[in-house]
Each structure stands twice: as structure tokens, then as C-alpha cells.
Amino acid sequence: MASPACFSSFSVPVKEKKLMEVKLGELPGWILMRDFTPKGIAGAFQRGYYRYYNKYINVKKGGVAGISMVLAAYVLFNYCRSYKELKHERLRKYH
Amino acid sequence: SDGAPGPGHWDADAAAGGLVDLAVPGGAFSGRRAPCLKNPVLGPGVLQAIRIFHTRQPSLAPIPCVPEYGGKVCLGLIPKEFFQFLYPKTGVRGPYVLGTGLILYSLSKEIYVITAETFSAISTIGLLIYVVKKYGASIGEFADKLSEQKIAQLEEVKQASIQQIQDAIDTEKSQQALVQKRHYLFDVQRNNIAMALELTYRERLHRVYREVKNRLDYHISVQNMMRRKEQEHMINWVEKHVVQSISAQQEKETIAKCIAGLKLLAKKAPSQPVL
């Protein structure tokens, strides 16, 4: 979203359509409209972080879901990175 | 959007993308020239107030408070939104079937390779799940208690502050009420002053009386003294002249007459006994 990234727990004002509302044909145009400057990308990361933070961690009665999702994503990420070496430990050659 | 408004002039048009980020430190000047005098002719001494602040609409919405519970998550890993997303097409069991299918697919095609680490992973995850299931609630309660203490502290501060201000208001009101009762004080003072005036008046009156009487007494005593003196003087003068008028010859005749008279008396007297 092209909205400013200075808020952390305020609702972010939307000026363009969200990804879910974009039709499939409009997707390339929508992607090109995005802000790809370093500031824009940093803003996107910041927004994403605060979205996750405010939804799962910054609550009164949080649960294990907040960190477990992060750890699971980390596990998956590392597995994908080391898949190349793991390929050699397969039990069968042909699947 | 950089060049048109000029340096130091915040852009009011929020829709011109790449908006200046006021909250990020250092973000106020990113993309613009370094701060400089707007009009160098005037020099640095003159106050050059050309910045216009608060041009964006103020956000009037109340700050949303911290939500009670986090987003719902199934199996501790997958947010419920995913289940909602698949519900119209596949019903309730769709995501579970999808999960099972994916696992079997990755196992059969050996996208997930079973190694020695698999067993350590299984035991670790099993242990974690056991611990979470067994002690999760108590840890949650402990954390809740901590946060409740913090909130109670803050609430206390807030209440104390409110109480203080309330006390100040009450004091102010009572003092204002006192102002209405000032007239008693003034009445008492007025009475006192009237009494003092009366007292002084009477005192002076008495003094006047005394002084006048004093003077009158003086005149009276003067008169009395004069009269007495005149009397005495007159008596003395009369006596003196009478004595002076008795000549020597008259004195002899008077004395001879007295002696004759006495002799006469002496003749009459011997008939009476001497007492």
C-alpha cells in the first residue's frame, strides 16, 4: 500500500485497492503501481511487521500462536535453503 | 513535489506520493535540500517564520485500544482466515484435507526427506506441545497477573491525580463559599469601630466637663479668697483705727472706771461665799 508507514497500531488509511480486490487481469498494472523505491520497500516491511505484531502479539491475552508461526516460518525457510544438500539423503531415487 | 512548494514549506497535498514522513527521525528532510534561510537577504537575525505546520487533517478517530485476544489460529500455526477463505468452496474439512494431502504428497515425492533429524524434530515438537498444553494456562495467568498489576498501578496514579484535582476543586468551592460569608467579618469590624468611636466620644466629653469644672472652681476659689482677704483687711484696719482713736487720757479714765466698778462689785460680793 502506498500509505505512510509511520503508524504502528493505528488503522492504516487505504488509498489503493488491496491485493485481494484486484482482478486477475489488472494484476500486472497493479504491481507496476507499487512503490519500489527503497523507502517504499522499507515502508512495506514496516507495515507488514506492524500488521503481524498488532494482530498476534500486541494483545492482552496472547497465545503461543504469535511466536510459533514465526518459528514455523523460520523452520520452513531454512529447510528450503538446505534442500539442495538434503536431496542427496533421499531414500529412493525415483518417485 | 520537491521543487514546486519551495524548501521548508510542508506539502499540503497528501496525495502526491512519497509524502514526507514526520514521525521518522531524519525523515523530515529526506528528499529535500538542507535547511537554509528562506530569504538570505534579510540575514539570520530576523525571524523567518514561513513554515506552516499541521496542514494535514487531524486524525479525529479515537485510538483503538489493545485487543483482548489475538487473531484466531488453528493448530497453533495456521490463521483461521485461511479456513474462512476455503470454506465457500470446500466446506469445513477442506483445509484439513488439503493439509493431509500436502503432507502425503511431500512425503511421497520426497520433497520432505526423512532423515535422522526427523525423529529429533518429532520428539522436540512433541515435547513442546506437551509443555504448552500442560502449563500454557498457568503461564498465561501469571502473565495476566503481571499486566494487571501494571494496569492497577497506572490506574492508581490516574485516580490519585483525579482525586487531587477533585480536592483542589472542593477547596476552591469552599473558599468561594467563604467569600459569601465575608459580610459577618465586616459587620463585626464595623461594630468594633462604632464602639471605639462611642468610647472616645464619651471620654472626651467627660474630659471637657472636668476641664470646665476645673476652671469654674478656680474662679470660685479666687473670688472666695479675695473676699476673705478683704474681710481680714477690713477688720484689721478697723481695729487699728479704733485702737489708735483711744487716746491716752481716755485710757486712764476707762481704767479708773473699771477699777471703781470692780470695787463696787467687791462690796456686793462678800455676802456670797467664794466658790
Side-chain angles (χ1 to χ4, degrees), chain A residues 4-7 9-11 15 20 35 39 46 54-56 58-62 64-65 68-69 72 79 83 86-87 89-92 95, chain B residues 14 18-19 21 23-24 30 56 59 63-64 66-73 76-79 81 108-115 132 144:
Chain A
C6 50
F7 308 108
S9 61
F10 282 63
S11 48
K15 273 185 302 288
M20 292 294 158
D35 182 12
K39 193 163 72 76
Q46 205 176 17
N54 286 326
K55 181 137 188 237
Y56 293 106
N58 194 15
V59 294
K60 277 192 207 157
K61 293 195 175 36
V64 74
S68 80
M69 277 198 276
Y79 185 82
Y83 184 66
L86 280 174
K87 253 202 321 202
E89 298 177 25
R90 285 198 277 200
L91 297 172
R92 297 279 184 276
H95 301 97
Chain B
L19 189 58
D21 197 335
V24 175
S30 64
R56 261 189 284 189
S59 140
I63 301 173
V66 172
E68 186 82 19
Y69 294 101
K72 282 197 179 302
V73 169
L77 280 182
I78 304 163
E81 279 84 10
S108 87
K109 282 280 188 185
E110 289 226 282
I111 295 175
Y112 176 69
V113 181
I114 298 185
T115 64
V132 163
D144 281 346

Short mmCIF file of all heavy atoms in Angstrom, two decimals, chain A residues 4-7 9-11 15 20 35 39 46 54-56 58-62 64-65 68-69 72 79 83 86-87 89-92 95, chain B residues 14 18-19 21 23-24 30 56 59 63-64 66-73 76-79 81 108-115 132 144:
data_model
loop_
_atom_site.label_atom_id
_atom_site.label_comp_id
_atom_site.label_asym_id
_atom_site.label_seq_id
_atom_site.Cartn_x
_atom_site.Cartn_y
_atom_site.Cartn_z
N PRO A 4 1.46 6.01 4.32
CA PRO A 4 2.69 6.25 5.09
C PRO A 4 2.90 5.16 6.15
O PRO A 4 1.96 4.56 6.64
CB PRO A 4 2.45 7.60 5.76
CG PRO A 4 1.01 7.80 5.68
CD PRO A 4 0.52 7.09 4.48
N ALA A 5 4.13 4.94 6.49
CA ALA A 5 4.48 3.82 7.37
C ALA A 5 4.75 4.30 8.79
O ALA A 5 5.42 3.63 9.53
CB ALA A 5 5.71 3.11 6.82
N CYS A 6 4.25 5.48 9.18
CA CYS A 6 4.62 5.98 10.49
C CYS A 6 3.73 5.43 11.59
O CYS A 6 3.99 5.59 12.74
CB CYS A 6 4.55 7.51 10.51
SG CYS A 6 3.03 8.14 9.87
N PHE A 7 2.61 4.79 11.24
CA PHE A 7 1.73 4.28 12.28
C PHE A 7 2.16 2.88 12.66
O PHE A 7 2.61 2.13 11.83
CB PHE A 7 0.29 4.23 11.80
CG PHE A 7 -0.16 5.53 11.22
CD1 PHE A 7 -0.36 5.66 9.86
CD2 PHE A 7 -0.38 6.62 12.02
CE1 PHE A 7 -0.76 6.84 9.32
CE2 PHE A 7 -0.79 7.80 11.47
CZ PHE A 7 -0.99 7.92 10.12
N SER A 9 0.08 1.14 15.48
CA SER A 9 -1.15 0.48 15.87
C SER A 9 -2.37 1.27 15.43
O SER A 9 -3.46 1.00 15.85
CB SER A 9 -1.18 0.26 17.36
OG SER A 9 -1.12 1.51 17.99
N PHE A 10 -2.16 2.27 14.60
CA PHE A 10 -3.32 2.97 14.05
C PHE A 10 -3.80 2.23 12.83
O PHE A 10 -3.05 1.53 12.17
CB PHE A 10 -2.90 4.38 13.62
CG PHE A 10 -2.77 5.32 14.77
CD1 PHE A 10 -1.83 5.09 15.75
CD2 PHE A 10 -3.58 6.42 14.87
CE1 PHE A 10 -1.70 5.96 16.81
CE2 PHE A 10 -3.45 7.30 15.93
CZ PHE A 10 -2.51 7.06 16.89
N SER A 11 -5.04 2.42 12.49
CA SER A 11 -5.51 1.79 11.26
C SER A 11 -4.91 2.56 10.08
O SER A 11 -4.86 3.78 10.09
CB SER A 11 -7.02 1.82 11.20
OG SER A 11 -7.48 3.10 11.52
N LYS A 15 -5.39 3.90 0.14
CA LYS A 15 -5.68 4.77 -0.99
C LYS A 15 -5.84 3.98 -2.28
O LYS A 15 -6.41 4.47 -3.23
CB LYS A 15 -4.56 5.80 -1.14
CG LYS A 15 -4.82 7.02 -0.27
CD LYS A 15 -3.81 8.09 -0.47
CE LYS A 15 -2.42 7.62 -0.19
NZ LYS A 15 -2.14 7.41 1.23
N MET A 20 -6.36 -8.37 -2.54
CA MET A 20 -7.47 -9.30 -2.71
C MET A 20 -8.56 -8.74 -3.60
O MET A 20 -9.36 -9.49 -4.14
CB MET A 20 -8.08 -9.64 -1.34
CG MET A 20 -7.16 -10.46 -0.46
SD MET A 20 -6.90 -12.06 -1.19
CE MET A 20 -5.39 -12.55 -0.45
N ASP A 35 5.10 1.01 -5.06
CA ASP A 35 6.24 1.90 -4.81
C ASP A 35 7.47 1.05 -4.60
O ASP A 35 7.59 0.34 -3.59
CB ASP A 35 5.92 2.74 -3.56
CG ASP A 35 7.04 3.71 -3.27
OD1 ASP A 35 7.91 3.89 -4.15
OD2 ASP A 35 7.04 4.30 -2.19
N LYS A 39 12.69 3.37 0.03
CA LYS A 39 11.82 3.83 1.11
C LYS A 39 10.49 3.09 1.07
O LYS A 39 9.94 2.71 2.10
CB LYS A 39 11.60 5.34 0.98
CG LYS A 39 10.98 5.94 2.20
CD LYS A 39 11.17 7.42 2.21
CE LYS A 39 10.29 8.08 1.17
NZ LYS A 39 8.90 8.17 1.54
N GLN A 46 7.87 -2.49 7.09
CA GLN A 46 7.43 -1.96 8.39
C GLN A 46 5.95 -2.20 8.60
O GLN A 46 5.50 -2.64 9.66
CB GLN A 46 7.72 -0.46 8.41
CG GLN A 46 7.89 0.08 9.80
CD GLN A 46 8.28 1.54 9.76
OE1 GLN A 46 8.12 2.21 8.75
NE2 GLN A 46 8.77 2.04 10.86
N ASN A 54 0.54 -6.31 15.63
CA ASN A 54 -0.68 -5.86 16.29
C ASN A 54 -1.74 -6.93 16.30
O ASN A 54 -2.64 -6.89 17.11
CB ASN A 54 -1.21 -4.61 15.59
CG ASN A 54 -0.38 -3.41 15.93
OD1 ASN A 54 0.12 -3.31 17.01
ND2 ASN A 54 -0.22 -2.52 14.97
N LYS A 55 -1.65 -7.87 15.36
CA LYS A 55 -2.70 -8.87 15.32
C LYS A 55 -2.43 -10.00 16.30
O LYS A 55 -3.36 -10.49 16.94
CB LYS A 55 -2.79 -9.44 13.91
CG LYS A 55 -3.85 -10.45 13.77
CD LYS A 55 -4.61 -10.24 12.46
CE LYS A 55 -5.80 -11.16 12.48
NZ LYS A 55 -5.82 -12.06 11.33
N TYR A 56 -1.19 -10.42 16.45
CA TYR A 56 -0.94 -11.63 17.21
C TYR A 56 -0.15 -11.43 18.49
O TYR A 56 -0.20 -12.26 19.36
CB TYR A 56 -0.20 -12.65 16.34
CG TYR A 56 -1.04 -13.16 15.21
CD1 TYR A 56 -0.82 -12.75 13.92
CD2 TYR A 56 -2.09 -14.02 15.47
CE1 TYR A 56 -1.62 -13.21 12.90
CE2 TYR A 56 -2.88 -14.49 14.45
CZ TYR A 56 -2.65 -14.08 13.17
OH TYR A 56 -3.44 -14.52 12.16
N ASN A 58 0.60 -7.99 20.13
CA ASN A 58 0.27 -6.85 20.98
C ASN A 58 -1.17 -6.94 21.44
O ASN A 58 -1.98 -6.06 21.20
CB ASN A 58 0.49 -5.56 20.17
CG ASN A 58 0.49 -4.35 21.08
OD1 ASN A 58 0.60 -4.49 22.27
ND2 ASN A 58 0.37 -3.17 20.50
N VAL A 59 -1.50 -8.06 22.12
CA VAL A 59 -2.87 -8.24 22.60
C VAL A 59 -2.79 -8.52 24.09
O VAL A 59 -1.73 -8.81 24.64
CB VAL A 59 -3.57 -9.41 21.89
CG1 VAL A 59 -3.74 -9.07 20.44
CG2 VAL A 59 -2.76 -10.67 22.06
N LYS A 60 -3.94 -8.45 24.74
CA LYS A 60 -3.94 -8.64 26.18
C LYS A 60 -3.71 -10.11 26.53
O LYS A 60 -2.96 -10.44 27.42
CB LYS A 60 -5.28 -8.19 26.75
CG LYS A 60 -5.32 -6.71 26.96
CD LYS A 60 -6.52 -6.31 27.80
CE LYS A 60 -6.89 -4.88 27.42
NZ LYS A 60 -8.25 -4.56 27.71
N LYS A 61 -4.40 -11.00 25.85
CA LYS A 61 -4.23 -12.41 26.16
C LYS A 61 -3.69 -13.12 24.94
O LYS A 61 -4.44 -13.76 24.22
CB LYS A 61 -5.57 -13.02 26.56
CG LYS A 61 -6.11 -12.48 27.86
CD LYS A 61 -7.20 -13.40 28.33
CE LYS A 61 -7.77 -13.09 29.66
NZ LYS A 61 -7.94 -11.76 30.09
N GLY A 62 -2.40 -12.96 24.73
CA GLY A 62 -1.82 -13.63 23.56
C GLY A 62 -1.65 -15.11 23.83
O GLY A 62 -1.80 -15.60 24.94
N VAL A 64 0.34 -18.96 22.15
CA VAL A 64 1.60 -19.43 21.59
C VAL A 64 1.65 -19.18 20.10
O VAL A 64 2.70 -19.26 19.47
CB VAL A 64 1.78 -20.93 21.92
CG1 VAL A 64 0.84 -21.75 21.05
CG2 VAL A 64 3.20 -21.35 21.73
N ALA A 65 0.50 -18.84 19.50
CA ALA A 65 0.44 -18.70 18.06
C ALA A 65 1.35 -17.59 17.57
O ALA A 65 1.88 -17.67 16.46
CB ALA A 65 -0.99 -18.41 17.63
N SER A 68 4.89 -19.06 17.52
CA SER A 68 5.00 -20.36 16.86
C SER A 68 4.93 -20.19 15.36
O SER A 68 5.62 -20.88 14.61
CB SER A 68 3.91 -21.31 17.35
OG SER A 68 2.71 -21.02 16.69
N MET A 69 4.12 -19.23 14.90
CA MET A 69 4.05 -19.00 13.46
C MET A 69 5.38 -18.50 12.93
O MET A 69 5.84 -18.91 11.87
CB MET A 69 2.95 -18.00 13.14
CG MET A 69 1.59 -18.66 13.06
SD MET A 69 0.43 -17.63 12.22
CE MET A 69 -0.09 -16.60 13.54
N ALA A 72 7.78 -21.44 12.90
CA ALA A 72 7.49 -22.39 11.82
C ALA A 72 7.95 -21.84 10.49
O ALA A 72 8.53 -22.56 9.67
CB ALA A 72 5.98 -22.67 11.79
N TYR A 79 14.63 -24.98 5.84
CA TYR A 79 14.54 -26.25 5.12
C TYR A 79 14.67 -26.02 3.62
O TYR A 79 15.39 -26.75 2.93
CB TYR A 79 13.21 -26.93 5.43
CG TYR A 79 13.13 -28.29 4.81
CD1 TYR A 79 13.72 -29.39 5.41
CD2 TYR A 79 12.49 -28.47 3.58
CE1 TYR A 79 13.66 -30.63 4.83
CE2 TYR A 79 12.44 -29.72 3.00
CZ TYR A 79 13.02 -30.79 3.62
OH TYR A 79 12.98 -32.03 3.04
N TYR A 83 17.61 -27.55 1.15
CA TYR A 83 17.05 -28.67 0.41
C TYR A 83 18.06 -29.28 -0.55
O TYR A 83 18.08 -30.49 -0.81
CB TYR A 83 15.80 -28.23 -0.35
CG TYR A 83 15.12 -29.35 -1.06
CD1 TYR A 83 14.52 -30.39 -0.34
CD2 TYR A 83 15.09 -29.41 -2.46
CE1 TYR A 83 13.92 -31.42 -0.98
CE2 TYR A 83 14.47 -30.45 -3.11
CZ TYR A 83 13.89 -31.45 -2.37
OH TYR A 83 13.29 -32.49 -3.00
N LEU A 86 20.00 -31.76 1.22
CA LEU A 86 19.17 -32.86 1.71
C LEU A 86 18.75 -33.80 0.60
O LEU A 86 18.41 -34.95 0.83
CB LEU A 86 17.91 -32.29 2.39
CG LEU A 86 18.09 -31.78 3.81
CD1 LEU A 86 16.82 -31.12 4.27
CD2 LEU A 86 18.47 -32.91 4.72
N LYS A 87 18.73 -33.22 -0.64
CA LYS A 87 18.31 -34.06 -1.76
C LYS A 87 19.12 -35.34 -1.85
O LYS A 87 18.63 -36.38 -2.30
CB LYS A 87 18.48 -33.27 -3.07
CG LYS A 87 17.18 -32.83 -3.65
CD LYS A 87 17.18 -32.51 -5.09
CE LYS A 87 18.37 -31.80 -5.61
NZ LYS A 87 18.06 -31.10 -6.85
N GLU A 89 20.10 -37.22 0.50
CA GLU A 89 19.81 -38.23 1.52
C GLU A 89 18.48 -38.90 1.28
O GLU A 89 17.93 -39.51 2.17
CB GLU A 89 19.81 -37.56 2.90
CG GLU A 89 21.15 -36.97 3.26
CD GLU A 89 21.09 -36.27 4.61
OE1 GLU A 89 20.19 -36.65 5.43
OE2 GLU A 89 21.85 -35.33 4.83
N ARG A 90 17.98 -38.80 0.05
CA ARG A 90 16.66 -39.38 -0.20
C ARG A 90 16.78 -40.88 -0.13
O ARG A 90 17.81 -41.48 -0.44
CB ARG A 90 16.17 -38.94 -1.57
CG ARG A 90 15.71 -37.53 -1.56
CD ARG A 90 14.86 -37.23 -2.73
NE ARG A 90 15.65 -36.94 -3.88
CZ ARG A 90 15.20 -36.30 -4.94
NH1 ARG A 90 13.95 -35.90 -4.96
NH2 ARG A 90 15.97 -36.08 -5.98
N LEU A 91 15.65 -41.52 0.25
CA LEU A 91 15.68 -42.98 0.41
C LEU A 91 15.52 -43.70 -0.92
O LEU A 91 15.99 -44.81 -1.10
CB LEU A 91 14.56 -43.41 1.39
CG LEU A 91 14.71 -42.83 2.80
CD1 LEU A 91 13.48 -43.13 3.63
CD2 LEU A 91 15.95 -43.43 3.47
N ARG A 92 14.81 -43.07 -1.83
CA ARG A 92 14.60 -43.73 -3.14
C ARG A 92 15.07 -42.75 -4.20
O ARG A 92 14.96 -41.55 -4.04
CB ARG A 92 13.12 -44.07 -3.37
CG ARG A 92 12.57 -45.04 -2.41
CD ARG A 92 12.94 -46.45 -2.82
NE ARG A 92 12.32 -47.39 -1.91
CZ ARG A 92 12.85 -47.73 -0.75
NH1 ARG A 92 14.01 -47.22 -0.36
NH2 ARG A 92 12.23 -48.59 0.03
N HIS A 95 10.77 -41.26 -7.94
CA HIS A 95 9.48 -41.15 -7.24
C HIS A 95 8.35 -41.18 -8.24
O HIS A 95 8.37 -40.55 -9.25
CB HIS A 95 9.41 -39.84 -6.46
CG HIS A 95 10.51 -39.75 -5.45
ND1 HIS A 95 11.70 -39.08 -5.69
CD2 HIS A 95 10.63 -40.29 -4.21
CE1 HIS A 95 12.49 -39.20 -4.63
NE2 HIS A 95 11.87 -39.90 -3.73
N ALA B 14 -1.56 15.62 0.27
CA ALA B 14 -1.08 14.33 0.75
C ALA B 14 -1.08 13.30 -0.36
O ALA B 14 -0.49 12.24 -0.23
CB ALA B 14 -1.97 13.86 1.89
N GLY B 18 5.06 9.67 -1.97
CA GLY B 18 6.36 9.89 -1.34
C GLY B 18 6.26 10.99 -0.30
O GLY B 18 7.07 11.89 -0.24
N LEU B 19 5.22 10.91 0.51
CA LEU B 19 4.96 12.01 1.44
C LEU B 19 6.06 12.06 2.49
O LEU B 19 6.63 11.06 2.88
CB LEU B 19 3.62 11.76 2.11
CG LEU B 19 3.09 12.90 2.97
CD1 LEU B 19 2.96 14.13 2.12
CD2 LEU B 19 1.75 12.50 3.52
N ASP B 21 7.77 11.97 5.80
CA ASP B 21 7.41 11.19 6.98
C ASP B 21 7.83 11.96 8.23
O ASP B 21 9.00 12.01 8.57
CB ASP B 21 8.12 9.84 6.91
CG ASP B 21 7.47 8.86 7.88
OD1 ASP B 21 6.87 9.33 8.85
OD2 ASP B 21 7.57 7.68 7.63
N ALA B 23 7.13 11.42 11.37
CA ALA B 23 7.40 10.70 12.61
C ALA B 23 8.77 10.05 12.59
O ALA B 23 9.36 9.79 13.63
CB ALA B 23 6.33 9.64 12.85
N VAL B 24 9.27 9.76 11.46
CA VAL B 24 10.57 9.08 11.41
C VAL B 24 11.67 10.12 11.57
O VAL B 24 11.68 11.11 10.85
CB VAL B 24 10.72 8.35 10.05
CG1 VAL B 24 12.09 7.75 9.91
CG2 VAL B 24 9.65 7.29 9.94
N SER B 30 14.43 14.19 4.36
CA SER B 30 14.87 13.32 3.28
C SER B 30 14.18 13.75 2.01
O SER B 30 13.00 14.04 1.98
CB SER B 30 14.53 11.88 3.62
OG SER B 30 13.14 11.75 3.70
N ARG B 56 -2.02 18.71 7.47
CA ARG B 56 -2.88 17.54 7.22
C ARG B 56 -4.07 17.59 8.12
O ARG B 56 -4.06 18.21 9.16
CB ARG B 56 -2.09 16.27 7.49
CG ARG B 56 -1.54 15.64 6.24
CD ARG B 56 -0.98 14.30 6.53
NE ARG B 56 0.30 14.42 7.21
CZ ARG B 56 1.09 13.37 7.42
NH1 ARG B 56 0.72 12.20 6.99
NH2 ARG B 56 2.23 13.51 8.05
N SER B 59 -6.23 13.53 12.76
CA SER B 59 -6.98 12.29 12.84
C SER B 59 -7.90 12.34 14.05
O SER B 59 -7.46 12.44 15.17
CB SER B 59 -5.99 11.13 12.97
OG SER B 59 -6.47 10.19 13.89
N ILE B 63 -8.09 6.42 19.46
CA ILE B 63 -7.06 5.39 19.33
C ILE B 63 -7.69 4.05 19.69
O ILE B 63 -8.29 3.91 20.74
CB ILE B 63 -5.89 5.69 20.27
CG1 ILE B 63 -5.30 7.04 19.93
CG2 ILE B 63 -4.85 4.62 20.18
CD1 ILE B 63 -4.24 7.47 20.91
N PRO B 64 -7.56 3.03 18.82
CA PRO B 64 -8.15 1.74 19.18
C PRO B 64 -7.35 1.13 20.34
O PRO B 64 -6.13 1.17 20.35
CB PRO B 64 -7.99 0.91 17.90
CG PRO B 64 -6.88 1.55 17.16
CD PRO B 64 -6.90 3.00 17.50
N VAL B 66 -5.92 -1.82 22.92
CA VAL B 66 -5.29 -3.11 22.64
C VAL B 66 -6.35 -4.19 22.64
O VAL B 66 -7.14 -4.29 23.57
CB VAL B 66 -4.22 -3.40 23.69
CG1 VAL B 66 -3.69 -4.79 23.53
CG2 VAL B 66 -3.10 -2.39 23.59
N PRO B 67 -6.42 -5.01 21.58
CA PRO B 67 -7.47 -6.02 21.54
C PRO B 67 -7.27 -7.08 22.63
O PRO B 67 -6.17 -7.29 23.13
CB PRO B 67 -7.33 -6.63 20.13
CG PRO B 67 -5.97 -6.28 19.71
CD PRO B 67 -5.60 -5.00 20.37
N GLU B 68 -8.37 -7.72 22.97
CA GLU B 68 -8.33 -8.68 24.08
C GLU B 68 -7.61 -9.95 23.67
O GLU B 68 -6.71 -10.43 24.36
CB GLU B 68 -9.77 -8.99 24.50
CG GLU B 68 -9.89 -9.85 25.72
CD GLU B 68 -9.73 -9.03 26.99
OE1 GLU B 68 -9.89 -7.80 26.90
OE2 GLU B 68 -9.44 -9.60 28.02
N TYR B 69 -7.99 -10.52 22.57
CA TYR B 69 -7.37 -11.76 22.11
C TYR B 69 -6.74 -11.53 20.75
O TYR B 69 -7.19 -10.71 19.98
CB TYR B 69 -8.42 -12.88 21.99
CG TYR B 69 -8.99 -13.27 23.31
CD1 TYR B 69 -10.22 -12.80 23.72
CD2 TYR B 69 -8.29 -14.11 24.16
CE1 TYR B 69 -10.74 -13.16 24.93
CE2 TYR B 69 -8.81 -14.47 25.38
CZ TYR B 69 -10.04 -13.99 25.76
OH TYR B 69 -10.56 -14.34 26.97
N GLY B 70 -5.74 -12.33 20.44
CA GLY B 70 -5.10 -12.21 19.14
C GLY B 70 -5.94 -12.85 18.06
O GLY B 70 -7.03 -13.37 18.31
N GLY B 71 -5.40 -12.81 16.86
CA GLY B 71 -6.12 -13.46 15.77
C GLY B 71 -6.22 -14.96 16.02
O GLY B 71 -5.32 -15.59 16.57
N LYS B 72 -7.34 -15.51 15.64
CA LYS B 72 -7.53 -16.93 15.93
C LYS B 72 -6.65 -17.78 15.05
O LYS B 72 -6.48 -17.51 13.87
CB LYS B 72 -9.00 -17.30 15.69
CG LYS B 72 -9.88 -16.84 16.82
CD LYS B 72 -11.19 -17.58 16.73
CE LYS B 72 -12.12 -17.21 17.84
NZ LYS B 72 -11.56 -17.44 19.14
N VAL B 73 -6.09 -18.82 15.67
CA VAL B 73 -5.15 -19.67 14.94
C VAL B 73 -5.50 -21.12 15.21
O VAL B 73 -5.80 -21.51 16.34
CB VAL B 73 -3.71 -19.39 15.41
CG1 VAL B 73 -2.78 -20.44 14.87
CG2 VAL B 73 -3.27 -18.02 14.99
N GLY B 76 -2.27 -23.85 16.21
CA GLY B 76 -1.14 -23.03 16.64
C GLY B 76 -0.30 -22.51 15.50
O GLY B 76 0.70 -21.84 15.72
N LEU B 77 -0.69 -22.81 14.25
CA LEU B 77 0.17 -22.42 13.13
C LEU B 77 -0.56 -21.68 12.04
O LEU B 77 0.01 -20.83 11.38
CB LEU B 77 0.82 -23.66 12.52
CG LEU B 77 2.02 -24.21 13.27
CD1 LEU B 77 2.58 -25.40 12.53
CD2 LEU B 77 3.09 -23.15 13.40
N ILE B 78 -1.81 -22.05 11.81
CA ILE B 78 -2.46 -21.53 10.61
C ILE B 78 -3.60 -20.63 11.02
O ILE B 78 -4.51 -21.04 11.75
CB ILE B 78 -3.00 -22.69 9.76
CG1 ILE B 78 -1.85 -23.64 9.45
CG2 ILE B 78 -3.59 -22.17 8.49
CD1 ILE B 78 -2.31 -24.98 8.99
N PRO B 79 -3.59 -19.37 10.57
CA PRO B 79 -4.66 -18.45 10.97
C PRO B 79 -6.00 -18.90 10.43
O PRO B 79 -6.10 -19.49 9.34
CB PRO B 79 -4.24 -17.11 10.34
CG PRO B 79 -2.90 -17.30 9.81
CD PRO B 79 -2.61 -18.75 9.70
N GLU B 81 -8.20 -17.25 9.13
CA GLU B 81 -8.64 -16.62 7.89
C GLU B 81 -8.48 -17.56 6.71
O GLU B 81 -9.25 -17.51 5.76
CB GLU B 81 -7.82 -15.33 7.64
CG GLU B 81 -8.30 -14.14 8.41
CD GLU B 81 -7.71 -14.14 9.80
OE1 GLU B 81 -6.82 -14.95 10.03
OE2 GLU B 81 -8.15 -13.33 10.62
N SER B 108 5.68 -38.48 -0.19
CA SER B 108 5.82 -39.47 -1.26
C SER B 108 6.78 -39.01 -2.33
O SER B 108 7.54 -39.79 -2.87
CB SER B 108 4.45 -39.78 -1.88
OG SER B 108 4.16 -38.86 -2.90
N LYS B 109 6.75 -37.74 -2.66
CA LYS B 109 7.69 -37.26 -3.66
C LYS B 109 9.03 -36.88 -3.04
O LYS B 109 9.89 -36.37 -3.74
CB LYS B 109 7.12 -35.99 -4.33
CG LYS B 109 6.07 -36.24 -5.35
CD LYS B 109 6.71 -36.66 -6.65
CE LYS B 109 5.66 -36.71 -7.73
NZ LYS B 109 6.19 -37.22 -8.96
N GLU B 110 9.13 -37.10 -1.75
CA GLU B 110 10.36 -36.80 -1.01
C GLU B 110 10.77 -35.35 -1.19
O GLU B 110 11.95 -35.03 -1.35
CB GLU B 110 11.49 -37.74 -1.40
CG GLU B 110 11.24 -39.14 -0.88
CD GLU B 110 12.46 -39.74 -0.24
OE1 GLU B 110 13.34 -40.18 -0.99
OE2 GLU B 110 12.55 -39.72 1.00
N ILE B 111 9.76 -34.50 -1.18
CA ILE B 111 10.10 -33.08 -1.04
C ILE B 111 10.54 -32.84 0.39
O ILE B 111 11.42 -32.04 0.68
CB ILE B 111 8.88 -32.21 -1.39
CG1 ILE B 111 8.54 -32.39 -2.87
CG2 ILE B 111 9.15 -30.75 -1.09
CD1 ILE B 111 7.30 -31.67 -3.29
N TYR B 112 9.88 -33.61 1.31
CA TYR B 112 10.38 -33.62 2.67
C TYR B 112 11.12 -34.93 2.88
O TYR B 112 10.54 -36.02 2.79
CB TYR B 112 9.23 -33.50 3.68
CG TYR B 112 9.71 -33.60 5.10
CD1 TYR B 112 10.49 -32.59 5.64
CD2 TYR B 112 9.45 -34.72 5.86
CE1 TYR B 112 10.96 -32.67 6.92
CE2 TYR B 112 9.92 -34.82 7.14
CZ TYR B 112 10.68 -33.81 7.67
OH TYR B 112 11.17 -33.90 8.93
N VAL B 113 12.40 -34.87 3.11
CA VAL B 113 13.22 -36.08 3.20
C VAL B 113 13.27 -36.53 4.65
O VAL B 113 13.51 -35.72 5.56
CB VAL B 113 14.65 -35.77 2.70
CG1 VAL B 113 15.49 -37.00 2.77
CG2 VAL B 113 14.59 -35.22 1.30
N ILE B 114 13.02 -37.82 4.86
CA ILE B 114 13.07 -38.34 6.23
C ILE B 114 14.51 -38.68 6.54
O ILE B 114 15.10 -39.57 5.95
CB ILE B 114 12.19 -39.60 6.36
CG1 ILE B 114 10.74 -39.22 6.08
CG2 ILE B 114 12.33 -40.17 7.75
CD1 ILE B 114 9.78 -40.34 6.29
N THR B 115 15.08 -37.96 7.49
CA THR B 115 16.45 -38.22 7.89
C THR B 115 16.47 -38.51 9.39
O THR B 115 15.42 -38.70 10.00
CB THR B 115 17.34 -37.00 7.61
OG1 THR B 115 16.87 -35.93 8.43
CG2 THR B 115 17.23 -36.57 6.16
N VAL B 132 3.28 -26.93 26.29
CA VAL B 132 2.31 -25.85 26.07
C VAL B 132 0.94 -26.26 26.58
O VAL B 132 0.24 -25.49 27.25
CB VAL B 132 2.27 -25.49 24.57
CG1 VAL B 132 1.01 -24.69 24.25
CG2 VAL B 132 3.48 -24.68 24.20
N ASP B 144 -0.95 -12.56 32.90
CA ASP B 144 -2.10 -11.68 33.07
C ASP B 144 -2.02 -10.94 34.39
O ASP B 144 -2.32 -9.75 34.46
CB ASP B 144 -3.40 -12.51 33.04
CG ASP B 144 -3.77 -12.85 31.61
OD1 ASP B 144 -3.19 -12.23 30.71
OD2 ASP B 144 -4.63 -13.72 31.41
#
